[in-house]
């Protein structure tokens, strides 16, 4: 089974080990935790990097808070007040509630791992209330904006095969609801031939997504122009230098397109996935089916799209209903 492109091997994780300011016993435990997240939990590169940075910031704070690099004995003796001091420190630095909540999640993960490994037994981190995150809903593109975005990258000032590649990837995000990492992680033997495609998503979970003719056609047009061999064991989507295309390249292409089209900053690759769900819901799709297509573990995550659709209906009402205009 092919692993997602964003997942890391343990050896790759070693190369990207963050700096941990701590006593040697804590540093060794932190590095073991980091490799465990990469190898066993199969965190994406982005999430792994964020968790590593979060723990690095936390251990640096502890060094200042305690007056010396923290040892396992120090971690064992930490109280709830010490964790509250860290949260207060982050808020004083201007870090938002969402980021602070993620910071705390990384710290909790580390302490749970320490307990599981029998190094310490301090549950104080789990007793701290997570900061309340601001409520937000997805920001999808309209049907016209999504199509214009794809047309724009297909006409960019790059080689024709790169234009076709970018258009195929964005069509896949909008037409099948894939995450960017899922699309870029596809191997060459995953060229859609029928009406469906098996995708490996978060947590190495697989799901079946329908493939529209327009998606197959966009990918076929790219494959025909691609100068590199595409097959089993190769990437489906290549970068200009013959390696698997980096997500930053697609993000940049979409950034250039949205500027050319005067679209908002929220018009990102992930917004196309949001658009997939919202447009399905608007056309009568049921939430359970959309949940399966998106690969959401919880229906609550998918239910955010009902708010988006309700907002769209209200905008139509406000602009079109005679009594609303009055």
């Amino acid at each position: 089974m092919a692993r997602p492109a964003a997942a890391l091997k343990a050896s790759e994780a070693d190369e990207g080990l963050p700096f941990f300011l701590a006593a040697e016993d804590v540093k060794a435990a932190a590095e073991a935790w980091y490799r465990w997240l990469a190898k066993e939990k199969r965190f994406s590169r982005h999430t792994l990097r964020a968790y590593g940075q979060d723990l690095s910031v936390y251990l640096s704070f502890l060094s200042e808070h305690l007056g010396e690099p923290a040892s396992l004995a120090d971690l064992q003796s930490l109280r709830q007040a010490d964790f509250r001091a860290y949260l207060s420190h982050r808020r004083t630095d201007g870090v938002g509630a969402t980021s602070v909540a993620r910071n705390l999640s990384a710290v909790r993960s580390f302490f749970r791992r320490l307990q599981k490994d029998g190094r310490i037994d301090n549950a104080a981190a789990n007793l701290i209330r997570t900061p309340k995150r601001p409520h937000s809903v997805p920001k999808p593109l309209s049907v016209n904006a999504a199509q214009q975005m794809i047309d724009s990258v297909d006409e960019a000032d790059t080689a024709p095969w790169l234009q076709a590649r970018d258009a195929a990837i964005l069509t896949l995000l909008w037409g099948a609801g894939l995450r960017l990492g899922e699309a870029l992680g596809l191997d060459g033997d995953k060229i859609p031939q029928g009406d469906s495609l098996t995708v490996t998503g978060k947590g190495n979970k697989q799901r079946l997504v329908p493939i529209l003719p327009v998606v197959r056609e966009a990918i076929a047009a790219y494959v025909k122009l691609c100068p590199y061999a595409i097959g089993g064991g190769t990437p489906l989507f290549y970068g200009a230098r013959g390696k698997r295309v980096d997500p930053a390249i697609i993000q940049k292409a979409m950034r250039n397109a949205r500027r050319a089209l005067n679209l908002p900053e929220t018009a990102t690759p992930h917004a196309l996935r949001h658009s997939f769900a919202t447009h399905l819901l608007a056309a009568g799709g049921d939430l359970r089916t959309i949940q399966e297509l998106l690969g959401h573990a919880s229906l609550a995550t998918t239910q955010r799209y009902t708010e988006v659709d309700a907002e769209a209906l209200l905008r139509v009402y406000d602009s079109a209903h005679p009594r609303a205009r009055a």
Side-chain angles (χ1 to χ4, degrees):
M1 182 184 300
R3 67 186 178 92
L8 284 179
K9 293 179 179 177
S11 58
E12 292 173 318
D14 287 348
E15 294 174 5
L17 276 173
F19 172 73
F20 295 117
L21 177 59
E24 288 303 315
D25 54 357
V26 172
K27 183 177 178 181
E31 291 176 353
W33 164 81
Y34 188 82
R35 295 189 188 97
W36 172 74
L37 293 179
K39 184 179 179 181
E40 303 297 332
K41 300 294 287 183
R42 298 181 65 82
F43 275 20
S44 70
R45 292 176 186 273
H46 175 76
T47 304
L48 184 66
R49 189 180 303 116
Y51 265 53
Q53 177 65 21
D54 288 340
L55 186 63
S56 177
V57 170
Y58 175 68
L59 292 177
S60 294
F61 161 79
L62 273 187
S63 179
E64 211 173 299
H65 183 65
L66 300 174
E68 61 181 358
S71 65
L72 287 176
D74 293 322
L75 298 188
Q76 175 65 60
S77 63
L78 290 176
R79 301 166 300 168
Q80 290 186 52
D82 297 309
F83 289 100
R84 292 196 192 100
Y86 170 65
L87 298 182
S88 177
H89 168 75
R90 296 297 282 158
R91 285 193 290 266
T92 301
D93 282 348
V95 179
T98 298
S99 295
V100 171
R102 192 202 65 204
N103 296 162
L104 186 56
S105 177
V107 172
R108 283 172 170 163
S109 171
F110 178 55
F111 272 79
R112 284 195 299 269
R113 192 65 205 174
L114 291 177
Q115 183 177 13
K116 188 171 183 179
D117 289 343
R119 297 176 188 264
I120 68 169
D121 186 9
N122 184 345
N126 291 322
L127 300 177
I128 303 299
R129 182 176 297 177
T130 301
K132 193 171 183 178
R133 307 184 191 206
H135 179 68
S136 63
V137 296
K139 296 177 176 61
L141 299 172
S142 68
V143 173
N144 286 340
Q147 188 59 62
Q148 288 174 349
M149 180 72 72
I150 293 170
D151 292 342
S152 180
V153 299
D154 204 11
E155 299 168 358
D157 186 21
T158 57
W161 78 272
L162 294 176
Q163 296 173 4
R165 178 203 64 192
D166 294 351
I169 291 170
L170 297 191
T171 302
L172 191 54
L173 302 187
W174 183 32
L178 270 63
R179 300 176 178 92
L180 180 58
E182 292 170 346
L184 303 188
L186 293 174
D187 288 334
D189 57 359
K190 290 290 186 177
I191 299 175
Q193 303 293 339
D195 297 329
S196 62
L197 176 68
T198 299
V199 177
T200 303
K202 287 186 175 180
N204 210 30
K205 294 180 180 177
Q206 292 189 328
R207 68 184 189 277
L208 196 66
V209 297
I211 297 296
L212 301 171
V214 66
V215 176
R216 285 199 305 272
E217 292 163 7
I219 295 176
Y222 151 71
V223 169
K224 185 177 180 180
L225 294 173
C226 182
Y228 300 106
I230 297 177
T234 75
L236 173 54
F237 295 113
Y238 278 98
R241 297 183 179 180
K243 295 183 178 180
R244 193 180 297 272
V245 64
D246 190 280
I249 300 298
I250 305 305
Q251 290 163 349
K252 181 181 179 181
M254 196 155 177
R255 186 163 58 246
N256 292 338
R258 74 168 176 250
R259 288 171 180 168
L261 296 169
N262 198 28
L263 293 173
E265 293 294 310
T266 53
T268 63
H270 205 64
L272 288 173
R273 174 173 154 86
H274 292 324
S275 303
F276 165 82
T278 304
H279 298 162
L280 278 181
L281 184 64
D286 68 275
L287 281 177
R288 283 292 183 188
T289 300
I290 295 173
Q291 177 192 4
E292 290 295 324
L293 293 175
L294 291 173
H296 284 160
S298 168
L299 183 62
T301 305
T302 314
Q303 283 176 327
R304 292 182 301 162
Y305 294 100
T306 60
E307 294 187 46
V308 177
D309 198 44
E311 288 177 358
L313 290 174
L314 286 173
R315 283 197 299 271
V316 171
Y317 174 85
D318 288 338
S319 63
H321 197 282
R323 301 298 292 181
R325 289 200 302 271

